[in-house]
Amino acid sequence: MIRGRRRRALVKGVVLDVAGGAQSLGELDLAGMCRRHGLPEPDRQVIREDPTGRRYLDCRWRCGLVAEIDGAGHRWGLAVTDDNLRLNEVVVGGEQVLRFDTLGLRLREGQFMTQLRAGLHALGEPGVEAPSG
């Protein structure tokens, strides 16, 4: 038996996630959750120009829904203010934003995925049905 071959699928998945633009574990978690819940995966690290310069959105779907995933660093110092200003520009520009925290994604995956499904459906993302129940 050749060592290391059992992780080939894992390594392939990580490479595809990173090549797809993931910059954080939270983004990778969300991508996996989308796959598990039958939702389309978003574009990641989408560049957006606003009056203050170039910004990066964590996740964006074609329908205009944006998901921002906040790790602990988003709660320190002026990071909250910077995030608020950036996301307000996104909303003023006509897109909708859902906020996720990495801990919440792990502890309440079902609730967050129901909200994501509802948002994608409401904005007309192709192939997304309304949440059941």
Side-chain angles (χ1 to χ4, degrees):
M1 180 171 161
I2 299 173
R3 293 185 140 179
R5 297 223 185 237
R6 289 179 284 173
R7 295 187 183 152
R8 182 174 286 179
L10 172 66
V11 170
K12 180 180 178 183
V14 169
V15 168
L16 291 173
D17 282 332
V18 171
Q23 296 290 315
S24 72
L25 292 176
E27 291 173 44
L28 295 175
D29 289 345
L30 184 64
M33 290 174 191
C34 286
R35 288 189 291 271
R36 281 195 300 279
H37 290 266
L39 296 173
E41 287 190 49
D43 293 324
R44 288 174 268 191
Q45 292 299 302
V46 175
I47 298 172
R48 178 183 169 85
E49 300 285 338
D50 68 29
T52 61
R54 181 176 284 187
R55 308 288 188 137
Y56 292 87
L57 304 175
D58 289 340
C59 301
R60 184 182 183 283
W61 287 265
R62 281 175 266 143
C63 65
L65 183 64
V66 172
E68 286 295 308
I69 300 133
D70 297 339
H74 287 266
R75 303 286 183 238
W76 299 337
L78 290 176
V80 173
T81 300
D82 292 340
D83 283 348
N84 290 339
L85 289 168
R86 180 171 51 92
L87 295 178
N88 289 348
E89 286 292 340
V90 171
V91 172
V92 168
E95 296 178 296
Q96 301 292 318
V97 177
L98 291 177
R99 304 281 305 258
F100 301 91
D101 61 284
T102 54
L103 182 60
L105 275 175
R106 292 184 180 129
L107 296 177
R108 299 198 178 165
E109 176 179 335
Q111 289 174 277
F112 278 115
M113 290 300 101
T114 296
Q115 289 180 339
L116 179 57
R117 179 179 298 282
L120 291 170
H121 177 73
L123 293 175
E125 182 72 16
V128 178
E129 296 180 11
S132 59

